[in-house]
Amino acid sequence: MRNFSLRSIFAFVLFVSLLCLALAPPLKAQSTTASVDWHALESEAVQDLSAYVRVNTTNPPGNEIRAAQWYANIFQKEGIPYQIAESAPGRGNIVARLKGNGSEPALILLNHMDVVPVSRAFWSVDPFAGLIRDGYLWGRGSLDMKSLGIVQLLTFLELHRLNVPLRRDIIFIGTADEEAGGNFGAGWVVKDRPQWIAGAGFMLTEGAGSLADDSGKPIYFGVGPTEKTPAWLKLTATGRAGHGSVPIPDSAPNRLLAALTRLRQYRPPLELTPPVETMLRTRAPYEPEPWRSRFANPKAFLAQPDAYSELEKRPGILARLTNTISITGLSGSNKVNIIPPEASAELDCRLLPGWTIERWEAEVRRIIDDPSIRIDVILNFPPATSSTNTPLFASIQKAVHDRYSSAGVVQTVDAGFTDSHFFRDKGIVSYGFEPFAVTNADDERVHGDNERIPIQSYKDGLQLYWDIVYDFARAK
Ligand SMILES: [Zn+2]
């Protein structure tokens, strides 16, 4: 050990203190949040997420009852009443409610407790260990969406612990089965447990996504008032069966393949719907050129002859400007020398806001040009959009603006879908909103290998979420 003089130690301590001040994130202290012990709440959040990732709720089969019981233990310790209900054996759902003075409609904090399966061989850590390494918390669900579940939980608990007077009820709901369509989760709750959502006017859940630059600094926070709707179709061709040694030109497989070829060659026209126009315009400031100018004036861009080929370089954007078709499932004979009497294909189509299933079915029928092929709808729900002219949207904008002077709020249209539609159908204003700004590289690991959340984004997101809910719900 080297010897230091008192003076040099003092100078060093002063230097470190100044350095800490200089490096502190530019978070504005808020008098309204002064009573939250952030240091304690953040470490509770990290510990809880690590423990929650260890509760394996891979869907299928789900086993979300384990997660519901995990939440229940916490509610029990905090003295908060809750209810658990199973939509089917093992498919648990949980609710807890903080009472407000009833002067405004309730806010639902909705999170799905299931996660998608993992391919363990491609992970560099155990996906169900909740490991903390290299500034990340690793594991299946760490982004989608156990992290947001814990942030909703701690926001809810902290309102209770601090005894904050509320002007609206806050309803915490953890559901099963989102990753498989939500019929055993949010869809079931809305239908079979209407008392759980009684009095609700607003709902927040996953979706939209928020972007950070490579240093982790937030660029924008997304709010999703609408999303594309699934039109999952099954096409079935039937025909004469026979021996594979004597070909049948118009066999079921041949006619199905001809129909699929037409679908594959079909280039869906570009269509600028109002929510997507808003999305592009609000995202424009955060895009590099030439996309900044294109997004700022999407009508002019789409009128250019090279618009389609340019958009093919941005498939995520193109998918928001067209209906899409992915051929995903094929089946025919299970024996190589039998020409089967039936062949079928499954299509994952996603429709732009405003498109009905009837209109889309007619379009597919026109493209395949073969009336003998049967079309069945596997999954669809009606398109619905929530207004952004609401006090909840205003609270999100205010909180983002107060914490981050340089980051904005972008209205997005999700290319996929979440549980939001079940609530929009009931007239509840529902937004996808994720308070964690992450890089594209981090975001791309959702449903993939080595899913992980940057711990700093997670902690910052906890504070941002609290600001929003507190502002939106506290009694004035
Ligand atoms: Zn999810």
Side-chain angles (χ1 to χ4, degrees):
M1 192 191 227
R2 289 169 58 192
N3 274 326
F4 291 100
S5 72
L6 263 182
R7 226 177 69 186
S8 67
I9 289 172
F10 175 75
F12 178 72
V13 168
L14 185 71
F15 170 74
V16 169
S17 310
L18 288 173
L19 190 70
C20 288
L21 275 177
L23 293 179
L27 299 182
K28 296 171 195 168
Q30 305 217 330
S31 58
T32 52
T33 64
S35 43
V36 178
D37 177 350
W38 284 115
H39 185 71
L41 201 65
E42 285 173 358
S43 53
E44 184 179 355
V46 172
Q47 281 165 24
D48 279 357
L49 180 55
S50 173
Y52 187 32
V53 165
R54 292 197 290 272
V55 181
N56 187 337
T57 49
T58 300
N59 181 13
N63 286 322
E64 297 89 344
I65 190 68
R66 297 174 182 161
Q69 274 155 357
W70 185 86
Y71 276 128
N73 277 337
I74 294 174
F75 288 132
Q76 204 138 26
K77 271 187 220 137
E78 302 275 340
I80 298 171
Y82 63 87
Q83 277 181 50
I84 287 181
E86 280 175 302
S87 53
R91 313 308 301 272
N93 298 278
I94 185 165
V95 67
R97 188 185 281 246
L98 294 181
K99 290 299 284 180
N101 64 20
S103 60
E104 304 274 350
L107 168 68
I108 300 168
L109 304 177
L110 179 81
N111 63 90
H112 67 81
M113 303 184 291
D114 60 323
V115 296
V116 292
V118 296
S119 311
R120 273 181 192 264
F122 297 98
W123 281 67
S124 47
V125 301
D126 177 349
F128 297 101
L131 275 178
I132 293 164
R133 183 190 287 178
D134 307 328
Y136 283 90
L137 197 154
W138 298 58
R140 179 56 91 220
S142 58
L143 281 169
D144 182 12
M145 65 171 289
K146 288 185 163 170
S147 44
L148 187 48
I150 297 299
V151 161
Q152 292 184 336
L153 172 78
L154 290 181
T155 301
F156 183 94
L157 293 184
E158 201 65 7
L159 290 170
H160 171 76
R161 290 166 179 168
L162 298 175
N163 216 357
V164 175
L166 301 171
R167 65 183 190 272
R168 56 179 93 245
D169 291 5
I170 304 288
I171 308 168
F172 174 94
I173 302 181
T175 57
D177 197 40
E178 190 276 341
E179 298 292 1
N183 288 330
F184 291 99
W188 181 84
V189 165
V190 166
K191 198 161 69 34
D192 282 57
R193 289 294 183 278
Q195 66 275 24
W196 285 18
I197 61 168
F202 299 90
M203 192 275 275
L204 285 175
T205 190
E206 65 178 344
S210 299
L211 185 69
D213 65 18
D214 287 340
S215 73
K217 192 173 145 213
I219 297 172
Y220 65 73
F221 291 87
V223 179
T226 191
E227 49 202 25
K228 289 181 83 179
T229 54
W232 294 353
L233 304 180
K234 183 175 181 185
L235 305 190
T236 308
T238 46
R240 191 158 58 87
H243 198 281
S245 61
V246 182
I248 302 173
D250 66 343
S251 69
N254 286 353
R255 288 215 324 283
L256 180 72
L257 283 176
L260 293 178
T261 301
R262 289 183 206 109
L263 282 172
R264 215 160 44 78
Q265 288 164 347
Y266 170 71
R267 200 168 81 158
L270 295 170
E271 189 180 323
L272 186 63
T273 55
V276 173
E277 182 167 9
T278 307
M279 169 183 160
L280 296 178
R281 284 183 190 280
T282 56
R283 230 173 106 164
Y286 314 105
E287 290 285 328
E289 287 292 4
W291 293 98
R292 181 182 303 210
S293 308
R294 292 168 173 174
F295 280 21
N297 193 348
K299 275 197 185 97
F301 167 52
L302 296 186
Q304 287 170 12
D306 64 343
Y308 210 108
S309 55
E310 284 297 293
L311 281 164
E312 281 173 333
K313 299 173 194 162
R314 302 279 304 262
I317 301 298
L318 180 58
R320 286 157 167 101
L321 289 161
T322 61
N323 296 319
T324 57
I325 305 169
S326 293
I327 301 168
T328 50
L330 287 170
S331 67
S333 179
N334 56 9
K335 199 155 187 319
V336 68
N337 60 352
I338 292 178
I339 298 172
E342 191 173 288
S344 64
E346 290 182 342
L347 309 178
D348 180 355
C349 310
R350 305 293 176 116
L351 307 184
L352 290 168
W355 271 74
T356 62
I357 189 68
E358 292 77 19
R359 191 176 159 206
W360 178 243
E361 233 185 288
E363 180 72 354
V364 170
R365 196 157 278 303
R366 185 188 66 76
I367 300 162
I368 64 176
D369 194 25
D370 182 345
S372 74
I373 289 180
R374 200 175 75 227
I375 302 178
D376 293 302
V377 178
I378 303 170
L379 177 76
N380 174 252
F381 47 79
T385 300
S386 292
S387 167
T388 50
N389 186 17
T390 66
L392 179 55
F393 194 84
S395 289
I396 294 172
Q397 274 186 314
K398 179 181 180 317
V400 169
H401 179 81
D402 285 353
R403 270 191 191 275
Y404 305 99
S405 50
S406 65
V409 171
V410 168
Q411 284 185 44
T412 70
V413 176
D414 224 302
F417 66 93
T418 67
D419 279 334
S420 284
H421 66 97
F422 294 117
F423 296 82
R424 290 193 187 117
D425 287 349
K426 296 279 167 203
I428 296 170
V429 168
S430 305
Y431 298 145
F433 173 72
E434 288 165 14
F436 322 114
V438 299
T439 62
N440 280 322
D442 286 336
D443 187 54
E444 280 161 13
R445 293 191 201 96
V446 169
H447 286 212
D449 309 320
N450 293 321
E451 180 181 350
R452 56 190 189 259
I453 188 168
I455 288 179
Q456 194 57 50
S457 306
Y458 178 55
K459 291 177 174 176
D460 292 345
L462 174 68
Q463 296 204 18
L464 181 65
Y465 215 74
W466 164 265
D467 286 359
I468 292 165
V469 176
Y470 183 85
D471 181 63
F472 185 62
R474 119 189 93 96
K476 284 177 175 160

